[in-house]
Amino acid sequence: MSSSVDRCCDTTRDWVCEAVRIIEADANRSADTHLLRFPLPPGWGVDLYLKDESTHPTGSLKHRLARSLFLYAICNGWITEGTPVIEASSGSTAVSEAYFARLLGLPFIAVMPRSTSAEKVVLIEREGGRCHFVDSPGAIYDESRRLAAELGGHFMDQFTHAERATDWRGNNNIAESIFEQMALETSPEPEWVVVGAGTGGTSATIGRFVRYRRLRTRLAVVDPEHSVFYDAWRDGDPGLVGTRGSRIEGIGRPRVEPSFVGQVIDRMIKVPDAASIAAVRFAHDVLGRRVGGSTGTNLWGAFQLVADMVAAGRRGSVVTLLCDGGERYAHTYYDDEWVAAQGLRLDEHLEVLREFHRSGRWTAPVDA
């Protein structure tokens, strides 16, 4: 006698189809983000571009990740109608996931350290999310799993799924967008693309894409203080664990996350926190707009690579990311009292940046 079990019903499939339509409609009505030129002297023969991810509806690069994570979870059958969604995040990922959860009528809970800034809590709650606090930052993963089990929900787990939720071969991912927008530029195939690593998903996507498209572009990943990605990559030690979190929100981790694919990275650059914040201030002076801390980290690495090209007499282009706007950091990176309280001195790093912009020379230690 044969037997069968049917786990699908029309109502569930109808909800899935409608949820995918809603997410894709959101993407369809959102214009692609701009590719901005950072002003450099024309005589250098090197063009620097910033992919401005701050123009997404939720204001950051994490909007792309959240969209991909929701589609991945829905299409895997992990999220259906009414499923509570839980994420371990105190930052932009939680803001973006709360946005998509609200679009789909799903409850969303962000598990975060109790020390999370009030500004971030307001942004998450404004998008309809709820914040669940823990005393120890390291407890966010276990508490997220516990909540998901208790509520019959789904732990999104960005740090595991970021590298696999995005189709790295194309399908309007950030890599495909960059290279399509570069197509009519003087040097359409960049010598370098520079990104930071939080989950590692963006670097994995770009590194895989350039290989798949048979491009010569190299990938550089910048890493802030107190993050272990740089040391783990340099020493080939994926089990390395740090003792504290990063001051540069959105990037840097005290452990090597499952989504970090070091094999697709051509170079890593360690960036002091004072240098990241100095670059934030410098970018504001040059561009006339505020950018977030991770953009400062990206720019410090990109400037170093541009200086290498100028010194070698190589013409070409470099692309990096403007990850989010600086409005979220008015009380930290743009606050002199906060900077001083952190024991950070910006003057010497600002002088490195000014000298670079004047002459193309890099006077800071290499990869520092």
Side-chain angles (χ1 to χ4, degrees):
M1 180 182 293
S2 64
S3 62
S4 66
V5 177
D6 187 350
R7 296 191 177 183
C8 181
C9 68
D10 289 342
T11 302
T12 298
R13 185 56 59 86
D14 289 346
W15 185 89
V16 167
C17 291
E18 179 63 5
V20 171
R21 184 199 67 77
I22 288 170
I23 293 172
E24 292 190 337
D26 176 80
N28 196 48
R29 64 176 174 265
S30 302
D32 199 0
T33 60
H34 300 298
L35 193 64
L36 310 175
R37 292 188 66 170
F38 190 97
L40 297 176
W44 292 3
V46 181
D47 297 315
L48 175 61
Y49 300 85
L50 282 164
K51 179 73 165 157
D52 184 5
E53 295 293 284
S54 71
T55 57
H56 284 296
T58 53
S60 82
L61 169 66
K62 299 300 185 180
H63 194 84
R64 292 182 189 269
L65 173 60
R67 179 191 296 134
S68 295
L69 288 169
F70 268 92
L71 285 171
Y72 187 67
I74 290 167
C75 293
N76 275 315
W78 299 337
I79 291 177
T80 58
E81 185 173 9
T83 301
V85 177
I86 294 92
E87 183 62 282
S89 171
S90 61
S92 296
T93 301
V95 177
S96 298
E97 288 186 11
Y99 170 89
F100 282 104
R102 182 165 63 173
L103 278 184
L104 300 176
L106 302 173
F108 177 78
I109 302 171
V111 180
M112 60 182 63
R114 201 172 300 280
S115 58
T116 300
S117 69
E119 289 90 344
K120 287 294 178 69
V121 172
V122 168
L123 288 172
I124 294 165
E125 292 179 342
R126 184 179 298 158
E127 295 294 348
R130 177 163 70 86
C131 299
H132 179 90
F133 299 100
V134 296
D135 292 320
S136 170
I140 59 174
Y141 311 102
D142 288 342
E143 183 64 7
S144 295
R145 294 185 186 94
R146 187 196 67 77
L147 271 179
E150 178 183 293
L151 300 174
H154 172 62
F155 173 32
M156 195 69 90
D157 196 2
Q158 60 168 322
F159 296 106
T160 295
H161 295 124
E163 58 88 9
R164 64 198 70 169
T166 299
D167 184 352
W168 48 268
R169 291 164 293 188
N171 192 24
N172 195 34
N173 67 37
I174 191 168
E176 183 177 58
S177 178
I178 287 170
F179 283 90
E180 285 182 352
Q181 290 178 315
M182 286 292 294
L184 299 180
E185 299 303 309
T186 304
S187 302
E189 187 171 321
E191 181 147 340
W192 290 98
V193 174
V194 183
V195 301
T199 62
T202 300
S203 58
T205 296
I206 294 172
R208 289 164 170 166
F209 181 88
V210 296
R211 285 163 171 76
Y212 180 67
R213 293 294 179 92
R214 304 186 302 279
L215 303 170
R216 295 295 179 179
T217 298
R218 290 175 288 173
L219 173 65
V221 172
V222 289
D223 201 35
E225 279 183 43
H226 311 303
S227 175
V228 301
F229 286 132
Y230 175 89
D231 294 320
W233 182 83
R234 180 195 60 198
D235 301 335
D237 181 10
L240 189 63
V241 176
T243 58
R244 57 178 293 185
S246 171
R247 273 185 293 219
I248 306 303
E249 294 191 32
I251 58 172
R253 299 294 300 161
R255 68 175 193 178
V256 180
E257 301 295 350
S259 283
F260 182 75
V261 183
Q263 293 85 349
V264 302
I265 298 169
D266 297 292
R267 180 172 175 178
M268 287 199 71
I269 300 172
K270 194 73 171 179
V271 181
D273 287 349
S276 294
I277 298 169
V280 160
R281 305 284 188 93
F282 179 74
H284 178 253
D285 292 342
V286 174
L287 298 174
R289 58 183 292 182
R290 288 187 169 188
V291 301
S294 57
T295 303
T297 313
N298 288 341
L299 283 170
W300 185 267
F303 292 155
Q304 184 172 318
L305 295 170
V306 169
D308 288 348
M309 293 173 67
V310 172
R314 295 196 307 274
R315 307 179 76 86
S317 59
V318 174
V319 178
T320 190
L321 306 182
L322 195 166
C323 301
D324 63 358
E327 297 77 15
R328 300 178 178 186
Y329 310 102
H331 301 298
T332 54
Y333 309 137
Y334 290 93
D335 185 331
D336 290 338
E337 290 185 6
W338 182 89
V339 171
Q342 298 293 313
L344 300 173
R345 299 179 62 86
L346 307 186
D347 290 348
E348 62 179 286
H349 300 289
L350 284 168
E351 185 51 41
V352 168
L353 295 168
R354 294 183 186 115
E355 177 59 28
F356 161 75
H357 209 232
R358 282 193 298 265
S359 68
R361 293 191 301 114
W362 192 252
T363 57
V366 174
D367 289 355

